[in-house]
């Protein structure tokens, strides 16, 4: 009887051992940092769609994200960010991920350069 209790205690201890318990929290913290981080980019405006709150850019490489130069559609945080922007403008912009697991990057700042 005493032996059985000992085994149960060991099993319970294993379930709440620090390495297992700490790991998910560390992952969450890392994801939160990624979500809050913003990335700077530069590029050229290809088209602006105010109705859809989107802009197409030919962006230059963004090293902080490991992206090479490419043509890409972005959503902007608010329509007013697109004011005064037109095809052919050279721009500097800032990207943010709204949700940690989201693959979508949103432009939170954009200005002509
Ligand atoms: Cu891209």
């Amino acid at each position: 009887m005493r032996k059985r209790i000992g085994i149960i205690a060991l099993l319970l201890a294993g379930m709440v051992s620090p390495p297992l318990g700490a790991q998910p929290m560390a992952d969450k913290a890392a994801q939160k940092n990624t979500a809050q981080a913003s990335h700077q980019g530069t590029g050229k405006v290809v088209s602006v769609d105010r109705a859809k709150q989107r802009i197409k850019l030919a962006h230059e490489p963004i090293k902080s994200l490991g992206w090479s130069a490419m043509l890409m559609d972005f959503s902007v945080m608010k329509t007013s960010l697109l004011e005064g922007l037109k095809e052919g403008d050279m721009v500097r912009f800032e990207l943010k991920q709204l949700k940690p697991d989201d693959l979508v990057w949103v432009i939170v700042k954009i200005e002509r350069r």
Side-chain angles (χ1 to χ4, degrees):
M1 188 61 183
R2 185 176 280 177
K3 199 174 181 185
R4 186 183 282 173
I5 289 169
I7 288 165
I8 290 168
L10 276 173
L11 287 172
L12 287 173
M15 285 164 73
V16 294
S17 70
L20 285 173
Q23 199 52 45
M25 282 182 73
D27 285 349
K28 256 183 200 159
Q31 284 177 349
K32 204 175 178 189
N33 286 338
T34 308
Q36 285 165 346
S38 67
H39 298 265
Q40 314 289 326
T42 51
K44 191 177 185 179
V45 177
V46 175
S47 62
V48 180
D49 189 334
R50 286 180 174 75
K52 286 185 180 163
Q53 213 172 308
R54 294 178 73 79
I55 189 166
K56 184 176 274 185
L57 299 174
H59 72 71
E60 284 151 30
I62 303 176
K63 278 184 192 156
S64 59
L65 283 169
W67 291 0
S68 48
M70 67 180 99
L71 202 64
M72 200 165 168
D73 265 308
F74 290 101
S75 286
V76 294
M77 200 74 165
K78 48 187 183 198
T79 318
S80 61
L81 289 172
L82 299 175
E83 260 169 42
L85 291 179
K86 60 177 193 318
E87 189 187 327
D89 283 345
M90 299 304 287
V91 290
R92 163 184 308 124
F93 57 93
E94 194 178 313
L95 292 173
K96 259 185 189 173
Q97 221 173 3
L98 295 187
K99 284 179 275 173
D101 304 326
D102 214 341
L103 292 175
V104 178
W105 291 84
V106 175
I107 290 181
V108 293
K109 228 186 253 180
I110 185 165
E111 58 182 16
R112 267 183 289 174
R113 62 185 168 108

